[in-house]
Amino acid sequence: MEKRSNLTRRDLSQAINEQLGFPRNSAGELVDEVFTCLKQTLLKKEKIKLVQFGIFTVRQKSARVGRNPRTGETMEITKRCMVSFKASKQLRARINK
Amino acid sequence: MNKSGLIEAITNETKLPQREACAVINTILDLMTDSLAKGDSIELRGFGSFVVKEYKSYQGRNPKTGQKIKVKPKKLPFFKVGKDLKERVNS
């Protein structure tokens, strides 16, 4: 099977360094800045819409009764928030091409 | 927030010209898109990770008409929230 690779912050900062000519250390800082900014926005429970890529939303999940799969014990799962992502039509089309 | 909001936030934070902040964001998103298109995964510590999941063909139903349809096999990107973001979005 063909080996799948994993994209990380390092690859992103390398691309910014090579394609845009930013020095290496500031390229790394820029990548961190972008994701910190996205994170801060989600922490404010605000959604993020990135055209061509997708939408990140913070969804409220209501409390429900769950079960510990290991012990079988029932327990209350508290009300919580979660981040979800929906890929844009363009992104889905690219992946399925 | 949309892309121009993000560009504005980066411009304010880094004092970069708007055009350059825009180029940085586009470079990041383009590379992420290319990786997912190749079937690669993405791992961003503190934020989250993306993996491409493959779905087999299955018998589906049109929810509006109830008509049975065959859904072709497809791939979808799946986002898993990072630990730090997951914990902090709840506090």
Side-chain angles (χ1 to χ4, degrees):
Chain A
M1 209 176 99
E2 174 190 1
K3 194 177 175 287
R4 295 280 187 228
S5 61
N6 192 21
L7 186 87
T8 60
R9 282 177 199 253
R10 186 183 296 170
D11 303 300
L12 293 172
S13 66
Q14 198 182 338
I16 289 172
N17 165 241
E18 287 170 3
Q19 294 171 28
L20 305 177
F22 283 95
R24 248 194 243 174
N25 52 349
S26 44
E29 281 165 23
L30 281 170
V31 173
D32 291 343
E33 195 59 62
V34 170
F35 290 104
T36 306
C37 182
L38 293 176
K39 202 159 136 179
Q40 234 102 62
T41 307
L42 293 171
L43 288 175
K44 282 187 280 180
K45 312 263 193 279
E46 202 183 308
K47 73 171 174 189
I48 304 172
K49 206 169 171 179
L50 298 168
V51 192
Q52 310 273 319
F53 192 72
I55 305 174
F56 292 93
T57 41
V58 179
R59 293 205 317 227
Q60 285 269 3
K61 303 277 267 185
S62 43
R64 64 186 169 91
V65 178
R67 209 178 269 274
N68 181 332
R70 195 174 294 164
T71 62
E73 219 175 335
T74 52
M75 53 200 269
E76 169 97 341
I77 296 174
T78 49
K79 194 174 135 192
R80 65 201 195 287
C81 291
M82 56 168 282
V83 179
S84 68
F85 172 71
K86 187 167 187 274
S88 71
K89 234 180 186 165
Q90 293 94 325
L91 179 59
R92 276 183 281 154
R94 279 282 310 271
I95 291 174
N96 284 292
K97 217 190 271 172
Chain B
M1 181 190 253
N2 53 19
K3 208 185 215 170
S4 48
L6 179 63
I7 294 168
E8 201 184 310
I10 299 299
T11 310
N12 290 339
E13 206 62 49
T14 60
K15 308 282 172 252
L16 275 183
Q18 206 169 324
R19 193 172 40 85
E20 287 184 17
C22 180
V24 167
I25 293 160
N26 284 334
T27 305
I28 293 175
L29 291 178
D30 285 349
L31 188 53
M32 287 170 73
T33 306
D34 289 345
S35 299
L36 292 173
K38 275 192 286 173
D40 290 351
S41 54
I42 304 175
E43 195 181 320
L44 301 159
R45 288 283 158 90
F47 186 73
S49 59
F50 295 85
V51 281
V52 177
K53 283 194 177 174
E54 286 194 44
Y55 294 86
K56 285 186 195 136
S57 143
Y58 61 91
Q59 181 86 255
R61 227 175 246 279
N62 180 334
K64 208 176 270 174
T65 62
Q67 206 173 18
K68 273 187 188 169
I69 39 169
K70 195 168 182 263
V71 181
K72 289 196 193 119
K74 61 182 171 190
K75 292 181 201 158
L76 275 181
F78 180 81
F79 175 67
K80 192 177 172 218
V81 193
K83 204 176 166 198
D84 183 56
L85 179 56
K86 191 176 171 181
E87 282 165 5
R88 284 175 55 196
V89 84
N90 272 309
S91 56

